[in-house]
Amino acid sequence: MSVLPKARSCPYCGKPADSLHRPFCSKRCKDLDLGRWLNEDYRVPVVEEDQGDDEDDGKT
Ligand SMILES: [Zn+2]
C-alpha cells in the first residue's frame, strides 16, 4: 500500500527531487529558483559546495 510517489526532477538542475525540498533537489536549488524568479535577470555566483549530501537533519 505504500507506493512511492513518482520521483520528480528538480526543475532547476534536473536531479531527483528531495522530499524535504520538492520539487527541488535541495535547499540550494529551491533558493536559487526562488531567487531567479525574484531577480529574473540577476544571477549570483554559486559555490558548488554540496554533492548531494547537504542534509544535516534528514538522516539518522
Ligand atoms: Zn536541483
Short mmCIF file of all heavy atoms in Angstrom, two decimals:
data_model
loop_
_atom_site.label_atom_id
_atom_site.label_comp_id
_atom_site.label_asym_id
_atom_site.label_seq_id
_atom_site.Cartn_x
_atom_site.Cartn_y
_atom_site.Cartn_z
N MET A 1 0.83 -1.21 0.00
CA MET A 1 0.00 0.00 0.00
C MET A 1 0.86 1.26 0.00
O MET A 1 0.42 2.34 -0.29
CB MET A 1 -0.89 0.01 1.23
CG MET A 1 -0.11 0.19 2.53
SD MET A 1 -1.19 0.21 3.96
CE MET A 1 -0.01 0.67 5.23
N SER A 2 2.11 1.03 0.32
CA SER A 2 2.98 2.19 0.32
C SER A 2 3.65 2.34 -1.03
O SER A 2 4.73 1.84 -1.25
CB SER A 2 4.02 2.07 1.43
OG SER A 2 4.63 0.80 1.35
N VAL A 3 2.95 3.00 -1.90
CA VAL A 3 3.51 3.23 -3.23
C VAL A 3 4.31 4.51 -3.22
O VAL A 3 3.80 5.56 -2.85
CB VAL A 3 2.40 3.33 -4.28
CG1 VAL A 3 3.01 3.62 -5.65
CG2 VAL A 3 1.59 2.05 -4.29
N LEU A 4 5.55 4.37 -3.59
CA LEU A 4 6.38 5.56 -3.61
C LEU A 4 5.89 6.54 -4.68
O LEU A 4 5.55 6.14 -5.78
CB LEU A 4 7.83 5.17 -3.92
CG LEU A 4 8.54 4.39 -2.81
CD1 LEU A 4 9.91 3.95 -3.30
CD2 LEU A 4 8.67 5.24 -1.57
N PRO A 5 5.84 7.78 -4.31
CA PRO A 5 5.43 8.79 -5.29
C PRO A 5 6.45 8.88 -6.40
O PRO A 5 7.62 8.59 -6.22
CB PRO A 5 5.38 10.10 -4.47
CG PRO A 5 6.29 9.85 -3.32
CD PRO A 5 6.18 8.39 -3.03
N LYS A 6 5.99 9.27 -7.54
CA LYS A 6 6.89 9.41 -8.67
C LYS A 6 7.98 10.42 -8.36
O LYS A 6 7.71 11.51 -7.90
CB LYS A 6 6.12 9.87 -9.90
CG LYS A 6 5.66 8.73 -10.78
CD LYS A 6 5.13 9.26 -12.10
CE LYS A 6 4.81 8.11 -13.04
NZ LYS A 6 4.31 8.60 -14.33
N ALA A 7 9.18 10.01 -8.61
CA ALA A 7 10.30 10.91 -8.37
C ALA A 7 10.28 12.02 -9.41
O ALA A 7 10.39 11.77 -10.60
CB ALA A 7 11.60 10.15 -8.44
N ARG A 8 10.14 13.22 -8.91
CA ARG A 8 10.17 14.34 -9.83
C ARG A 8 11.58 14.89 -9.94
O ARG A 8 12.37 14.79 -9.00
CB ARG A 8 9.23 15.44 -9.33
CG ARG A 8 7.78 14.99 -9.32
CD ARG A 8 6.89 16.16 -9.05
NE ARG A 8 7.10 17.21 -10.05
CZ ARG A 8 6.44 18.36 -10.06
NH1 ARG A 8 5.57 18.60 -9.14
NH2 ARG A 8 6.66 19.25 -10.98
N SER A 9 11.85 15.46 -11.05
CA SER A 9 13.18 16.03 -11.23
C SER A 9 13.18 17.48 -10.82
O SER A 9 12.21 18.20 -11.02
CB SER A 9 13.59 15.90 -12.70
OG SER A 9 13.70 14.55 -13.05
N CYS A 10 14.27 17.88 -10.25
CA CYS A 10 14.44 19.26 -9.87
C CYS A 10 14.31 20.15 -11.10
O CYS A 10 15.00 19.94 -12.08
CB CYS A 10 15.81 19.43 -9.23
SG CYS A 10 16.24 21.13 -8.87
N PRO A 11 13.40 21.10 -11.07
CA PRO A 11 13.20 21.97 -12.23
C PRO A 11 14.39 22.87 -12.49
O PRO A 11 14.47 23.52 -13.52
CB PRO A 11 11.95 22.78 -11.86
CG PRO A 11 11.91 22.74 -10.38
CD PRO A 11 12.52 21.44 -9.96
N TYR A 12 15.28 22.91 -11.56
CA TYR A 12 16.42 23.80 -11.70
C TYR A 12 17.62 23.09 -12.30
O TYR A 12 18.26 23.60 -13.20
CB TYR A 12 16.79 24.39 -10.34
CG TYR A 12 17.64 25.62 -10.48
CD1 TYR A 12 17.07 26.87 -10.73
CD2 TYR A 12 19.02 25.53 -10.38
CE1 TYR A 12 17.86 27.99 -10.88
CE2 TYR A 12 19.82 26.66 -10.52
CZ TYR A 12 19.23 27.88 -10.77
OH TYR A 12 20.01 28.98 -10.93
N CYS A 13 17.93 21.92 -11.78
CA CYS A 13 19.14 21.25 -12.27
C CYS A 13 18.85 19.86 -12.81
O CYS A 13 19.71 19.25 -13.41
CB CYS A 13 20.18 21.17 -11.15
SG CYS A 13 19.74 20.03 -9.85
N GLY A 14 17.65 19.36 -12.58
CA GLY A 14 17.29 18.08 -13.18
C GLY A 14 17.59 16.87 -12.32
O GLY A 14 17.28 15.75 -12.70
N LYS A 15 18.16 17.11 -11.15
CA LYS A 15 18.42 15.98 -10.26
C LYS A 15 17.11 15.51 -9.65
O LYS A 15 16.14 16.25 -9.61
CB LYS A 15 19.37 16.41 -9.14
CG LYS A 15 20.78 16.69 -9.62
CD LYS A 15 21.61 17.10 -8.43
CE LYS A 15 23.03 17.48 -8.86
NZ LYS A 15 23.83 17.96 -7.72
N PRO A 16 17.09 14.28 -9.16
CA PRO A 16 15.90 13.78 -8.47
C PRO A 16 15.54 14.68 -7.30
O PRO A 16 16.40 15.10 -6.55
CB PRO A 16 16.33 12.39 -7.98
CG PRO A 16 17.44 12.00 -8.89
CD PRO A 16 18.14 13.28 -9.26
N ALA A 17 14.25 14.98 -7.19
CA ALA A 17 13.82 15.89 -6.13
C ALA A 17 13.95 15.24 -4.76
O ALA A 17 13.83 14.03 -4.60
CB ALA A 17 12.38 16.29 -6.39
N ASP A 18 14.18 16.09 -3.79
CA ASP A 18 14.28 15.62 -2.42
C ASP A 18 12.96 15.90 -1.72
O ASP A 18 12.36 16.95 -1.91
CB ASP A 18 15.42 16.35 -1.72
CG ASP A 18 15.62 15.82 -0.32
OD1 ASP A 18 14.94 16.30 0.60
OD2 ASP A 18 16.46 14.93 -0.16
N SER A 19 12.53 14.96 -0.91
CA SER A 19 11.23 15.11 -0.27
C SER A 19 11.17 16.33 0.63
O SER A 19 10.11 16.90 0.86
CB SER A 19 10.89 13.85 0.54
OG SER A 19 11.89 13.64 1.51
N LEU A 20 12.33 16.72 1.12
CA LEU A 20 12.36 17.87 2.02
C LEU A 20 12.24 19.18 1.26
O LEU A 20 11.83 20.19 1.81
CB LEU A 20 13.66 17.86 2.83
CG LEU A 20 13.80 16.72 3.84
CD1 LEU A 20 15.17 16.79 4.49
CD2 LEU A 20 12.71 16.79 4.89
N HIS A 21 12.62 19.14 0.02
CA HIS A 21 12.71 20.39 -0.73
C HIS A 21 11.96 20.32 -2.05
O HIS A 21 12.16 21.16 -2.90
CB HIS A 21 14.17 20.73 -1.00
CG HIS A 21 15.02 20.73 0.24
ND1 HIS A 21 14.88 21.67 1.22
CD2 HIS A 21 15.99 19.89 0.66
CE1 HIS A 21 15.75 21.41 2.19
NE2 HIS A 21 16.42 20.33 1.89
N ARG A 22 11.15 19.30 -2.23
CA ARG A 22 10.49 19.14 -3.50
C ARG A 22 9.69 20.38 -3.87
O ARG A 22 9.16 21.07 -3.00
CB ARG A 22 9.61 17.90 -3.47
CG ARG A 22 8.51 17.98 -2.43
CD ARG A 22 7.76 16.67 -2.39
NE ARG A 22 6.72 16.72 -1.36
CZ ARG A 22 5.97 15.68 -1.03
NH1 ARG A 22 6.14 14.54 -1.65
NH2 ARG A 22 5.07 15.80 -0.10
N PRO A 23 9.54 20.63 -5.14
CA PRO A 23 10.02 19.75 -6.22
C PRO A 23 11.50 19.90 -6.53
O PRO A 23 11.96 19.39 -7.54
CB PRO A 23 9.17 20.20 -7.41
CG PRO A 23 8.99 21.67 -7.19
CD PRO A 23 8.86 21.81 -5.68
N PHE A 24 12.20 20.55 -5.65
CA PHE A 24 13.63 20.74 -5.91
C PHE A 24 14.45 19.63 -5.27
O PHE A 24 13.95 18.88 -4.43
CB PHE A 24 14.08 22.09 -5.38
CG PHE A 24 13.29 23.22 -5.99
CD1 PHE A 24 12.19 23.75 -5.33
CD2 PHE A 24 13.63 23.72 -7.24
CE1 PHE A 24 11.45 24.76 -5.90
CE2 PHE A 24 12.89 24.74 -7.81
CZ PHE A 24 11.80 25.26 -7.14
N CYS A 25 15.71 19.57 -5.63
CA CYS A 25 16.56 18.50 -5.13
C CYS A 25 17.25 18.92 -3.84
O CYS A 25 17.75 18.11 -3.10
CB CYS A 25 17.59 18.12 -6.18
SG CYS A 25 18.86 19.38 -6.43
N SER A 26 17.27 20.21 -3.59
CA SER A 26 17.99 20.69 -2.42
C SER A 26 17.55 22.11 -2.10
O SER A 26 16.90 22.78 -2.92
CB SER A 26 19.49 20.67 -2.67
OG SER A 26 19.82 21.60 -3.68
N LYS A 27 17.87 22.53 -0.89
CA LYS A 27 17.52 23.88 -0.49
C LYS A 27 18.19 24.90 -1.40
O LYS A 27 17.67 25.96 -1.68
CB LYS A 27 17.94 24.11 0.96
CG LYS A 27 17.52 25.46 1.49
CD LYS A 27 17.92 25.60 2.94
CE LYS A 27 17.39 26.92 3.50
NZ LYS A 27 18.01 28.08 2.84
N ARG A 28 19.35 24.52 -1.85
CA ARG A 28 20.10 25.44 -2.70
C ARG A 28 19.34 25.73 -3.99
O ARG A 28 19.15 26.87 -4.39
CB ARG A 28 21.46 24.86 -3.03
CG ARG A 28 22.39 25.88 -3.64
CD ARG A 28 23.67 25.24 -4.07
NE ARG A 28 23.42 24.26 -5.12
CZ ARG A 28 24.35 23.81 -5.93
NH1 ARG A 28 25.58 24.21 -5.77
NH2 ARG A 28 24.07 22.93 -6.85
N CYS A 29 18.87 24.67 -4.62
CA CYS A 29 18.14 24.86 -5.86
C CYS A 29 16.83 25.58 -5.59
O CYS A 29 16.38 26.39 -6.38
CB CYS A 29 17.87 23.51 -6.53
SG CYS A 29 19.31 22.89 -7.43
N LYS A 30 16.24 25.29 -4.47
CA LYS A 30 15.00 25.95 -4.11
C LYS A 30 15.22 27.45 -3.99
O LYS A 30 14.48 28.27 -4.53
CB LYS A 30 14.51 25.39 -2.77
CG LYS A 30 13.10 25.81 -2.41
CD LYS A 30 12.71 25.10 -1.13
CE LYS A 30 11.28 25.43 -0.74
NZ LYS A 30 10.89 24.72 0.49
N ASP A 31 16.27 27.79 -3.28
CA ASP A 31 16.59 29.20 -3.10
C ASP A 31 17.00 29.84 -4.42
O ASP A 31 16.62 30.97 -4.72
CB ASP A 31 17.71 29.35 -2.08
CG ASP A 31 17.26 29.01 -0.68
OD1 ASP A 31 16.04 28.96 -0.46
OD2 ASP A 31 18.12 28.80 0.18
N LEU A 32 17.75 29.08 -5.18
CA LEU A 32 18.21 29.62 -6.45
C LEU A 32 17.04 29.88 -7.38
O LEU A 32 16.97 30.91 -8.03
CB LEU A 32 19.17 28.63 -7.10
CG LEU A 32 20.58 28.61 -6.49
CD1 LEU A 32 21.38 27.47 -7.09
CD2 LEU A 32 21.27 29.93 -6.75
N ASP A 33 16.13 28.94 -7.41
CA ASP A 33 14.99 29.10 -8.29
C ASP A 33 14.11 30.25 -7.82
O ASP A 33 13.63 31.05 -8.60
CB ASP A 33 14.18 27.81 -8.32
CG ASP A 33 13.17 27.84 -9.45
OD1 ASP A 33 13.60 27.68 -10.61
OD2 ASP A 33 11.98 28.06 -9.18
N LEU A 34 13.95 30.33 -6.52
CA LEU A 34 13.17 31.42 -5.96
C LEU A 34 13.84 32.76 -6.29
O LEU A 34 13.20 33.71 -6.69
CB LEU A 34 13.06 31.25 -4.45
CG LEU A 34 12.12 32.23 -3.75
CD1 LEU A 34 10.69 32.02 -4.23
CD2 LEU A 34 12.19 32.04 -2.25
N GLY A 35 15.14 32.78 -6.11
CA GLY A 35 15.89 33.99 -6.41
C GLY A 35 15.80 34.35 -7.88
O GLY A 35 15.75 35.52 -8.24
N ARG A 36 15.74 33.34 -8.69
CA ARG A 36 15.66 33.59 -10.12
C ARG A 36 14.34 34.25 -10.46
O ARG A 36 14.25 35.10 -11.33
CB ARG A 36 15.81 32.28 -10.88
CG ARG A 36 15.97 32.50 -12.37
CD ARG A 36 16.27 31.21 -13.09
NE ARG A 36 15.17 30.27 -12.94
CZ ARG A 36 15.12 29.10 -13.55
NH1 ARG A 36 16.09 28.74 -14.33
NH2 ARG A 36 14.11 28.29 -13.35
N TRP A 37 13.33 33.80 -9.77
CA TRP A 37 12.02 34.39 -10.02
C TRP A 37 11.98 35.83 -9.51
O TRP A 37 11.39 36.71 -10.11
CB TRP A 37 10.93 33.59 -9.31
CG TRP A 37 10.52 32.39 -10.08
CD1 TRP A 37 10.88 31.09 -9.85
CD2 TRP A 37 9.67 32.35 -11.23
NE1 TRP A 37 10.31 30.27 -10.77
CE2 TRP A 37 9.56 31.01 -11.63
CE3 TRP A 37 8.99 33.34 -11.96
CZ2 TRP A 37 8.80 30.63 -12.74
CZ3 TRP A 37 8.23 32.95 -13.05
CH2 TRP A 37 8.14 31.62 -13.44
N LEU A 38 12.59 36.03 -8.37
CA LEU A 38 12.57 37.36 -7.78
C LEU A 38 13.47 38.32 -8.53
O LEU A 38 13.17 39.49 -8.68
CB LEU A 38 13.00 37.28 -6.31
CG LEU A 38 12.05 36.47 -5.42
CD1 LEU A 38 12.61 36.40 -4.01
CD2 LEU A 38 10.67 37.08 -5.40
N ASN A 39 14.57 37.78 -8.98
CA ASN A 39 15.53 38.61 -9.71
C ASN A 39 15.76 37.97 -11.07
O ASN A 39 16.76 37.31 -11.29
CB ASN A 39 16.84 38.70 -8.94
CG ASN A 39 16.61 39.09 -7.50
OD1 ASN A 39 16.35 40.24 -7.18
ND2 ASN A 39 16.68 38.10 -6.62
N GLU A 40 14.81 38.18 -11.91
CA GLU A 40 14.76 37.38 -13.12
C GLU A 40 16.05 37.44 -13.94
O GLU A 40 16.44 36.49 -14.57
CB GLU A 40 13.61 37.87 -13.99
CG GLU A 40 12.91 36.72 -14.68
CD GLU A 40 11.62 37.17 -15.30
OE1 GLU A 40 10.70 37.55 -14.55
OE2 GLU A 40 11.54 37.20 -16.52
N ASP A 41 16.67 38.56 -13.90
CA ASP A 41 17.83 38.71 -14.76
C ASP A 41 19.11 38.86 -13.96
O ASP A 41 20.15 39.23 -14.47
CB ASP A 41 17.62 39.93 -15.65
CG ASP A 41 18.37 39.77 -16.98
OD1 ASP A 41 18.73 38.63 -17.32
OD2 ASP A 41 18.61 40.78 -17.64
N TYR A 42 18.98 38.57 -12.70
CA TYR A 42 20.14 38.75 -11.83
C TYR A 42 20.65 37.41 -11.36
O TYR A 42 19.91 36.62 -10.80
CB TYR A 42 19.76 39.63 -10.65
CG TYR A 42 20.90 39.87 -9.69
CD1 TYR A 42 21.93 40.75 -10.03
CD2 TYR A 42 20.94 39.23 -8.46
CE1 TYR A 42 22.97 40.97 -9.16
CE2 TYR A 42 21.98 39.46 -7.58
CZ TYR A 42 23.00 40.32 -7.94
OH TYR A 42 24.02 40.53 -7.07
N ARG A 43 21.90 37.16 -11.57
CA ARG A 43 22.45 35.87 -11.17
C ARG A 43 23.59 36.07 -10.20
O ARG A 43 24.47 36.90 -10.40
CB ARG A 43 22.95 35.11 -12.39
CG ARG A 43 21.86 34.93 -13.41
CD ARG A 43 22.32 34.04 -14.52
NE ARG A 43 22.41 32.65 -14.07
CZ ARG A 43 22.68 31.64 -14.89
NH1 ARG A 43 22.91 31.85 -16.15
NH2 ARG A 43 22.73 30.41 -14.44
N VAL A 44 23.57 35.28 -9.17
CA VAL A 44 24.64 35.36 -8.19
C VAL A 44 25.57 34.17 -8.38
O VAL A 44 25.13 33.10 -8.78
CB VAL A 44 24.08 35.35 -6.76
CG1 VAL A 44 23.26 36.61 -6.53
CG2 VAL A 44 23.25 34.12 -6.53
N PRO A 45 26.82 34.36 -8.12
CA PRO A 45 27.76 33.25 -8.22
C PRO A 45 27.42 32.16 -7.22
O PRO A 45 27.11 32.43 -6.07
CB PRO A 45 29.12 33.88 -7.91
CG PRO A 45 28.82 35.16 -7.22
CD PRO A 45 27.47 35.60 -7.72
N VAL A 46 27.49 30.95 -7.70
CA VAL A 46 27.12 29.83 -6.85
C VAL A 46 28.35 29.00 -6.53
O VAL A 46 29.12 28.66 -7.40
CB VAL A 46 26.08 28.94 -7.55
CG1 VAL A 46 25.76 27.74 -6.68
CG2 VAL A 46 24.83 29.75 -7.85
N VAL A 47 28.49 28.72 -5.28
CA VAL A 47 29.60 27.88 -4.88
C VAL A 47 29.13 26.44 -4.78
O VAL A 47 28.23 26.12 -4.01
CB VAL A 47 30.16 28.33 -3.51
CG1 VAL A 47 31.32 27.42 -3.09
CG2 VAL A 47 30.61 29.78 -3.59
N GLU A 48 29.74 25.61 -5.56
CA GLU A 48 29.35 24.20 -5.54
C GLU A 48 29.93 23.55 -4.29
O GLU A 48 31.06 23.08 -4.28
CB GLU A 48 29.86 23.50 -6.78
CG GLU A 48 29.27 24.06 -8.05
CD GLU A 48 27.90 23.46 -8.30
OE1 GLU A 48 27.54 22.51 -7.60
OE2 GLU A 48 27.19 23.97 -9.18
N GLU A 49 29.16 23.56 -3.26
CA GLU A 49 29.70 23.02 -2.02
C GLU A 49 29.02 21.72 -1.60
O GLU A 49 29.49 21.01 -0.75
CB GLU A 49 29.52 24.03 -0.90
CG GLU A 49 28.06 24.40 -0.69
CD GLU A 49 27.90 25.43 0.40
OE1 GLU A 49 28.89 25.70 1.08
OE2 GLU A 49 26.79 25.94 0.56
N ASP A 50 27.91 21.43 -2.23
CA ASP A 50 27.23 20.19 -1.87
C ASP A 50 27.29 19.20 -3.02
O ASP A 50 27.16 19.55 -4.17
CB ASP A 50 25.77 20.47 -1.49
CG ASP A 50 24.98 20.88 -2.72
OD1 ASP A 50 25.33 21.91 -3.32
OD2 ASP A 50 24.03 20.17 -3.07
N GLN A 51 27.48 17.99 -2.67
CA GLN A 51 27.49 16.92 -3.66
C GLN A 51 26.33 15.98 -3.39
O GLN A 51 26.46 14.77 -3.37
CB GLN A 51 28.81 16.17 -3.61
CG GLN A 51 30.00 17.05 -3.96
CD GLN A 51 29.94 17.51 -5.42
OE1 GLN A 51 29.47 16.79 -6.29
NE2 GLN A 51 30.41 18.71 -5.68
N GLY A 52 25.20 16.54 -3.12
CA GLY A 52 24.02 15.71 -2.85
C GLY A 52 23.96 15.26 -1.41
O GLY A 52 23.23 14.34 -1.08
N ASP A 53 24.70 15.90 -0.57
CA ASP A 53 24.71 15.49 0.83
C ASP A 53 24.64 16.73 1.72
O ASP A 53 25.45 16.95 2.61
CB ASP A 53 25.97 14.69 1.13
CG ASP A 53 25.93 14.08 2.52
OD1 ASP A 53 24.81 13.83 3.02
OD2 ASP A 53 26.98 13.89 3.12
N ASP A 54 23.69 17.56 1.41
CA ASP A 54 23.59 18.82 2.15
C ASP A 54 22.55 18.77 3.26
O ASP A 54 22.22 19.75 3.84
CB ASP A 54 23.27 19.96 1.18
CG ASP A 54 21.96 19.72 0.48
OD1 ASP A 54 21.54 18.56 0.37
OD2 ASP A 54 21.33 20.69 0.07
N GLU A 55 22.05 17.58 3.50
CA GLU A 55 21.07 17.47 4.56
C GLU A 55 21.78 17.08 5.86
O GLU A 55 22.54 16.15 5.89
CB GLU A 55 20.04 16.40 4.24
CG GLU A 55 19.76 16.29 2.78
CD GLU A 55 18.97 15.02 2.49
OE1 GLU A 55 18.61 14.31 3.43
OE2 GLU A 55 18.72 14.75 1.31
N ASP A 56 21.46 17.82 6.89
CA ASP A 56 22.09 17.50 8.15
C ASP A 56 21.07 17.09 9.19
O ASP A 56 21.36 16.90 10.35
CB ASP A 56 22.91 18.69 8.67
CG ASP A 56 22.08 19.94 8.73
OD1 ASP A 56 20.86 19.87 8.47
OD2 ASP A 56 22.64 20.99 9.06
N ASP A 57 19.84 16.96 8.74
CA ASP A 57 18.81 16.62 9.71
C ASP A 57 17.84 15.59 9.15
O ASP A 57 16.81 15.33 9.73
CB ASP A 57 18.06 17.86 10.15
CG ASP A 57 17.41 18.56 8.96
OD1 ASP A 57 17.65 18.13 7.82
OD2 ASP A 57 16.67 19.50 9.17
N GLY A 58 18.19 15.00 8.05
CA GLY A 58 17.25 14.08 7.43
C GLY A 58 17.65 12.63 7.59
O GLY A 58 16.88 11.74 7.35
N LYS A 59 18.87 12.44 8.03
CA LYS A 59 19.33 11.06 8.15
C LYS A 59 19.63 10.73 9.60
O LYS A 59 20.17 11.55 10.33
CB LYS A 59 20.60 10.88 7.30
CG LYS A 59 20.28 11.04 5.83
CD LYS A 59 21.51 10.73 5.00
CE LYS A 59 21.19 10.84 3.52
NZ LYS A 59 22.36 10.52 2.70
N THR A 60 19.31 9.53 9.94
CA THR A 60 19.58 9.13 11.32
C THR A 60 20.38 7.83 11.31
O THR A 60 20.16 7.01 10.46
CB THR A 60 18.27 8.91 12.11
OG1 THR A 60 17.42 8.10 11.33
CG2 THR A 60 17.64 10.23 12.39
ZN ZN B 1 18.41 20.90 -8.15
#
